[in-house]
Amino acid sequence: MEIGDALSAIQLKIAEAKKDGGILAGDGQLIAVSKTRPVEDVEAALEAGQRLFGENRVQEAEAKFPGLRPRYPDLKLHLIGPLQSNKAKEAVALFDVIETIDRPKIAAAIAKEMAAQGRQPGLFVQVNTGEEPQKAGVLPGELGEFLTLCCKTHGLTISGLMCIPPVDEAPAPHFEFLRQLAEKYKLPKLSMGMSADYETAVQMGADYVRVGTAIFGARG
Ligand SMILES: *Cc1c(COP(=O)(O)O)cnc(C)c1O
């Protein structure tokens, strides 16, 4: 399927999911995840009207996006992959939202760079809802303490939560858990749902869904 056609089809499904979800449904803004894709694919999506993109590596995003900004000033870019503190400077300079704050060291590095650059990207905390040892994200039981550290120690405003459920489990309970955590800590935004489950995520409150394969095809 052409990128533009895939985008329209997904937007229709998101609109339906919002209706189905009723009062529980989220905004369902579509983040086109363009990691590993050539800049030509990003341009095709831009020409089709897509403006919100996600990348999981700082360096890859730096190679693709700055050149597009002058032509598409309303383009928005989210960092959805793990961040190393030695890349905090580049991340703060380039991204509009950083969804993967998950360690004290990262919170400190981001705060320092925001002050140095006078830039205020939106910030989400990634939660490891499945408590998987290999996965990034704050453990649910440590979220309260981490949010306090971000806010009180570093003066950061965290506006949402993000999760990647375990691949071998039904995602819905994880989406519901993330929604409850966001409610508990009074965080307005939720980033959850990917190609296989974005409709469920929207029904359950996702304000942002991160979709790659369903837009651009299988990654090589
Ligand atoms: C790659 C990626 C996605 C998109 O995955 P698809 O299955 O291709 O839609 C979403 N979120 C994160 C964090 C990713 O790394």
Side-chain angles (χ1 to χ4, degrees), residues 93-157:
L94 182 61
F95 290 93
D96 300 288
V97 175
I98 297 171
E99 295 197 7
T100 50
I101 309 287
D102 69 347
R103 296 192 302 285
K105 203 175 165 191
I106 292 298
I110 291 290
K112 182 167 162 258
E113 279 306 325
M114 284 171 60
Q117 299 181 32
R119 262 183 68 88
Q120 309 274 332
L123 303 174
F124 291 8
V125 167
Q126 181 175 353
V127 183
N128 185 356
T129 57
E131 308 203 14
E132 297 172 278
Q134 84 289 1
K135 194 164 272 177
V138 181
L139 292 172
E142 294 168 5
L143 180 59
E145 195 186 334
F146 183 66
L147 289 168
T148 302
L149 173 99
C150 287
C151 168
K152 295 278 180 346
T153 307
H154 299 299
L156 297 174
T157 300

Side-chain angles (χ1 to χ4, degrees), residues 19-206:
K19 266 193 238 155
D20 293 345
I23 54 164
L24 217 59
D27 288 349
Q29 292 195 58
L30 175 61
I31 301 176
V33 176
S34 51
K35 66 185 184 197
T36 77
R37 314 291 174 173
V39 72
E40 289 75 20
D41 284 7
V42 176
E43 296 206 59
L46 281 162
E47 276 161 31
Q50 178 68 25
R51 289 295 180 272
L52 181 54
F53 293 85
E55 285 279 343
N56 68 340
R57 287 167 186 270
V58 175
Q59 249 173 327
E60 185 183 342
E62 269 186 317
K64 287 195 276 196
F65 281 86
L68 298 168
R69 294 257 198 207
R71 273 188 291 147
Y72 300 97
D74 53 346
L75 185 162
K76 299 275 187 241
L77 188 58
H78 286 213
L79 179 63
I80 61 169
L83 178 59
Q84 305 302 320
S85 53
N86 64 2
K87 286 278 187 298
K89 183 177 182 177
E90 290 83 354
V92 167
L94 182 61
F95 290 93
D96 300 288
V97 175
I98 297 171
E99 295 197 7
T100 50
I101 309 287
D102 69 347
R103 296 192 302 285
K105 203 175 165 191
I106 292 298
I110 291 290
K112 182 167 162 258
E113 279 306 325
M114 284 171 60
Q117 299 181 32
R119 262 183 68 88
Q120 309 274 332
L123 303 174
F124 291 8
V125 167
Q126 181 175 353
V127 183
N128 185 356
T129 57
E131 308 203 14
E132 297 172 278
Q134 84 289 1
K135 194 164 272 177
V138 181
L139 292 172
E142 294 168 5
L143 180 59
E145 195 186 334
F146 183 66
L147 289 168
T148 302
L149 173 99
C150 287
C151 168
K152 295 278 180 346
T153 307
H154 299 299
L156 297 174
T157 300
I158 302 296
S159 55
L161 297 178
M162 175 270 213
C163 77
I164 309 170
V167 285
D168 54 354
E169 287 181 30
H174 293 272
F175 297 158
E176 172 60 18
F177 185 35
L178 196 71
R179 194 186 63 73
Q180 287 173 5
L181 287 171
E183 206 171 276
K184 175 173 177 186
Y185 294 110
K186 303 191 165 39
L187 301 170
K189 299 289 177 195
L190 287 174
S191 171
M192 55 191 199
M194 316 198 325
S195 289
D197 49 31
Y198 66 89
E199 293 165 272
T200 307
V202 170
Q203 287 175 14
M204 301 186 70

